[in-house]
Amino acid sequence: MSVDVKQFGKVAVVCGGFSSEREVSLNSGKAVLDALLSKGVDAHHFDPQETDISKLREFDRVFNVLHGTFGEDGSLQGVLDGFDIPYTGCGVLASAIAMDKFRCRLIWQGFNLPNVPYVVLDDHSDFDAVEREFGLPLFVKPAAEGSSVGVVMVETAGELAKVYPTLKQYHGAILAEPAITGGEYACSLLGDEALPSIRIIPAGKFYDYEAKYLRNDTTYQCPSDLTAEQEREMQDIAKRAFEAIGGRGWSRVDFLKSDDGKLYLLELNTVPGMTDHSLVPMAAKARGIDFASLCVQILAQTL
């Protein structure tokens, strides 16, 4: 893909911000900024925690790697639409839906897409009954946080009731899910193309924040161990899931596989990580696209 980078004009790489994913976002932003500069793009670091958001009017377009609240939930997208500034990734509606795992799954259910089973917890839930229904271990998580922030693995009877109050500090509904143990996978989308899937094998009990960003003993298989038929099925489901929420540009769709080989949608990320541990660059590399070229391709979607 050949692009005249002068077409991009002055580009803001928006990262950092105020969310629980600030540090990850800063790392993504630095990687993207360095990559764009290496390609000759007139790119600049922009952190909304440090600079008034109105200053974005001084730029021609935005490369958005502002993970989490404000950057990934449709808020920044609405501001940029109001400023009439092109930006990478999904628009307001798709961003807001994908950020809320509960409402995203309601839409996927309407399209008969395979969701991970779940229940929404509240102060009146019968926590013991949920443990009996899903069995142990099970997972409990806030619906509107990313990077596995707030995800807890419940392993002992009676623990769910104790964990639940600690998650009320986070955004969105609180979901409980059964453990699906046949493997965790990611399928990245770049425009109309699905990139090779990745199997994620954490050294710990599950793929938590530490395994994603801080540890170096997580194993990534790319291409993954899926059969050719399973790979086609995952790519088809990922594209349909993205289309169902009105997605555009690029994303990463996360899956779980059961022991009998059934695929389940876990969540969809509209502003995926772009650090040295991140999955979209890994999948692009397997397709023969280096990191800097990937960043230019994503930015070119704004033209």
Side-chain angles (χ1 to χ4, degrees):
M1 179 181 180
S2 179
V3 179
D4 179 5
V5 298
K6 292 186 176 64
Q7 296 177 81
F8 296 138
K10 188 178 180 183
V11 178
V13 177
V14 181
C15 60
F18 307 92
S19 83
S20 57
E21 299 179 71
R22 173 175 171 78
E23 292 307 316
V24 178
S25 178
L26 287 170
N27 290 338
S28 288
K30 184 180 187 309
V32 169
L33 179 63
D34 290 347
L36 293 176
L37 291 173
S38 77
K39 289 289 192 176
V41 177
D42 181 18
H44 303 262
H45 169 86
F46 192 103
D47 182 351
Q49 191 178 98
E50 300 171 349
T51 307
D52 190 283
I53 201 72
S54 65
K55 298 289 186 184
L56 283 173
R57 291 178 183 273
E58 300 170 10
F59 294 87
D60 296 299
R61 66 198 67 245
V62 163
F63 195 119
N64 177 23
V65 275
L66 191 62
H67 306 316
T69 305
F70 187 68
E72 203 164 354
D73 60 6
S75 302
L76 176 64
Q77 291 78 3
V79 169
L80 293 171
D81 284 344
F83 290 167
D84 196 25
I85 298 172
Y87 54 91
T88 56
C90 290
V92 173
L93 181 63
S95 300
I97 292 169
M99 191 67 194
D100 188 328
K101 298 176 186 72
F102 170 47
R103 284 164 179 81
C104 191
R105 289 181 184 184
L106 292 176
I107 289 174
W108 287 343
Q109 285 167 219
F111 280 84
N112 292 316
L113 292 166
N115 278 301
V116 171
Y118 67 94
V119 295
V120 178
L121 302 178
D122 61 34
D123 293 350
H124 306 291
S125 294
D126 185 336
F127 298 106
D128 292 339
V130 173
E131 289 180 353
R132 288 194 299 272
E133 179 185 351
F134 286 158
L136 297 174
L138 60 78
F139 289 95
V140 58
K141 64 176 68 170
E145 296 282 355
S147 294
S148 296
V149 171
V151 177
V152 178
M153 186 179 192
V154 173
E155 299 181 270
T156 57
E159 188 183 352
L160 181 59
K162 297 172 185 171
V163 166
Y164 165 77
T166 69
L167 300 187
K168 293 168 76 171
Q169 63 179 300
Y170 297 110
H171 292 91
I174 299 172
L175 308 180
E177 305 170 348
I180 295 175
T181 56
E184 183 164 351
Y185 297 81
C187 181
S188 301
L189 302 176
L190 184 60
D192 297 328
E193 182 182 8
L195 300 176
S197 68
I198 298 171
R199 180 169 183 185
I200 303 145
I201 307 173
K205 291 179 179 177
F206 70 99
Y207 191 46
D208 58 5
Y209 183 95
E210 195 172 288
K212 286 180 177 178
Y213 301 113
L214 304 177
R215 297 174 62 146
N216 291 310
D217 54 2
T218 303
T219 299
Y220 300 96
Q221 294 179 348
C222 186
S224 73
D225 60 352
L226 296 179
T227 65
E229 183 180 352
Q230 287 173 324
E231 181 81 3
R232 283 192 297 272
E233 181 187 5
M234 180 173 287
Q235 292 182 349
D236 176 62
I237 293 170
K239 288 177 179 178
R240 288 164 58 203
F242 196 43
E243 185 179 333
I245 65 164
R248 72 175 190 217
W250 67 304
S251 70
R252 192 191 77 238
V253 188
D254 296 338
F255 288 83
L256 294 176
K257 181 166 68 75
S258 65
D259 293 331
D260 61 2
K262 181 173 170 58
L263 297 173
Y264 293 91
L265 283 162
L266 183 61
E267 62 181 89
L268 191 152
N269 296 270
T270 57
V271 185
M274 292 289 276
T275 71
D276 56 358
H277 280 62
S278 296
L279 301 176
V280 175
M282 204 179 297
K285 185 178 180 182
R287 184 50 59 84
I289 305 169
D290 64 72
F291 185 80
S293 299
L294 171 65
C295 292
V296 169
Q297 277 198 40
I298 292 168
L299 188 58
Q301 294 172 345
T302 66
L303 292 171

